[in-house]
């Protein structure tokens, strides 16, 4: 019988919420000091932190389900934005062009995000699960930071290239990749103490500290077993 958890649903909901908000806010490119990045970068690193917590506490199999949930929710959001944008506006509604400028580009943004998210999150979860076995559950920071360094470089490069190639100059493309990557990894490192606190608290609350010793890591495996 599948074990019941008190906080798994809440973590999954926060994970998906962060993903959807970051997709929408990625339509704006911002400049902050030395960094140039899309607006979604401000919140998107939290999805990796939630992903780390999910895999560390509940295991890869449950994390896999949440990753797919986020994927389908983001896809539904993109389809809805496209359908609403295609519908004729009311005669006295004068914001059709503004809608297209902000949300009209969202399908391309979301397509880039979906592909990058899929590759990055599964890489992050896989590496963290394997490192947990390798380190025998010690040195959590090596798993959270190490998995993020790999997952985020894949996520960032794939997202920026698909979302903005041909739209902005190549120099801006490289600036976005470098800035986004450094910023996202910096957030992961900065939040490491908080990750420790939340992870340890959840392990006590859930009476769970999962090790993926016999897990099937196929991302397309949807059965209830590992």
């Amino acid at each position: 019988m599948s074990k019941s958890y008190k906080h798994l649903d809440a973590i999954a909901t926060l994970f998906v919420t962060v993903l959807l908000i970051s997709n929408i806010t990625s339509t704006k490119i911002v400049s902050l000091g030395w960094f140039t990045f899309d607006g979604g970068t401000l919140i998107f690193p939290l999805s990796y932190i939630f992903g780390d917590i999910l895999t560390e506490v509940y295991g890869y199999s449950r994390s896999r389900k949440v990753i797919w949930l986020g994927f389908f929710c983001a896809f539904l959001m993109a389809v809805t934005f496209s359908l609403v944008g295609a519908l004729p506006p009311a005669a006295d509604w004068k914001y059709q062009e503004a809608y297209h400028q902000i949300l009209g580009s969202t399908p391309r943004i979301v397509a880039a995000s979906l592909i990058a998210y899929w590759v990055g999150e599964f890489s992050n979860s896989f590496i963290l699960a394997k490192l947990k076995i390798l380190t025998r559950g010690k040195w959590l920071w090596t798993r959270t930071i190490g998995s993020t360094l790999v997952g985020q470089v894949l996520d960032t490069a794939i997202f920026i290239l698909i979302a903005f190639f041909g739209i902005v100059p190549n120099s801006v493309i490289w600036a976005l990749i470098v800035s986004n990557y450094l910023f996202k990894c910096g957030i992961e490192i900065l939040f490491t103490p908080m990750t420790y606190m939340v992870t340890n608290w959840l392990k006590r609350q859930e009476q769970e500290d999962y090790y993926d010793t016999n897990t099937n890591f196929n991302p397309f495996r949807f059965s209830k077993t590992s």
Side-chain angles (χ1 to χ4, degrees):
M1 183 177 295
S2 178
K3 184 176 179 180
S4 177
Y5 297 103
K6 294 184 289 185
H7 304 291
L8 179 57
D9 289 344
I11 300 297
T13 300
L14 289 170
F15 178 92
V16 174
T17 300
V18 167
L19 174 65
L20 298 184
I21 293 174
S22 65
N23 279 335
I24 298 171
T25 53
S26 289
T27 57
K28 180 177 180 178
I29 297 177
V30 301
S31 179
L32 186 63
W34 295 338
F35 296 101
T36 300
F37 50 84
D38 62 271
T41 300
L42 289 174
I43 190 173
F44 184 71
L46 295 179
S47 70
Y48 271 73
I49 295 173
F50 286 127
D52 290 343
I53 293 170
L54 281 166
T55 304
E56 174 69 21
V57 178
Y58 303 103
Y60 178 89
S61 296
R62 295 179 183 89
S63 180
R64 173 172 52 203
K65 294 177 182 178
V66 178
I67 292 172
W68 276 111
L69 176 63
F71 183 92
F72 288 117
C73 286
F75 178 77
L76 176 61
M77 181 185 71
V79 170
T80 302
F81 284 158
S82 296
L83 289 175
V84 171
L87 293 173
D92 59 346
W93 196 71
K94 303 177 181 180
Y95 306 106
Q96 180 70 5
E97 184 60 29
Y99 180 94
H100 276 299
Q101 288 184 353
I102 301 301
L103 298 179
S105 61
T106 299
R108 177 170 177 171
I109 295 292
V110 173
S113 178
L114 288 175
I115 297 171
Y117 158 84
W118 192 92
V119 174
E121 287 290 350
F122 273 115
S123 298
N124 180 76
S125 186
F126 173 81
I127 292 171
L128 190 143
K130 288 294 189 181
L131 285 177
K132 185 173 184 178
I133 298 171
L134 184 64
T135 61
R136 299 180 181 180
K138 301 177 182 178
W139 311 310
L140 175 60
W141 65 272
T142 63
R143 302 193 290 281
T144 58
I145 295 175
S147 61
T148 295
L149 290 176
V150 176
Q152 286 287 15
V153 73
L154 295 172
D155 185 293
T156 302
I158 292 172
F159 173 76
I160 296 299
L161 288 172
I162 295 177
F164 299 112
F165 185 78
I167 298 177
V168 300
N170 289 342
S171 59
V172 176
I173 293 286
W174 286 110
L176 283 170
I177 291 175
V178 173
S179 296
N180 281 17
Y181 181 66
L182 292 177
F183 187 87
K184 291 173 182 177
C185 293
I187 292 294
E188 175 75 37
I189 295 171
L190 184 66
F191 274 73
T192 295
M194 183 64 68
T195 304
Y196 264 83
M197 292 174 58
V198 174
T199 299
N200 291 333
W201 180 80
L202 281 172
K203 287 178 179 180
R204 292 193 300 269
Q205 288 285 310
E206 306 285 30
Q207 293 296 298
E208 183 66 274
D209 186 6
Y210 200 89
Y211 284 77
D212 287 286
T213 52
N214 297 309
T215 298
N216 185 328
F217 288 97
N218 182 354
F220 297 100
R221 185 178 178 89
F222 298 104
S223 66
K224 294 183 180 179
T225 59
S226 296

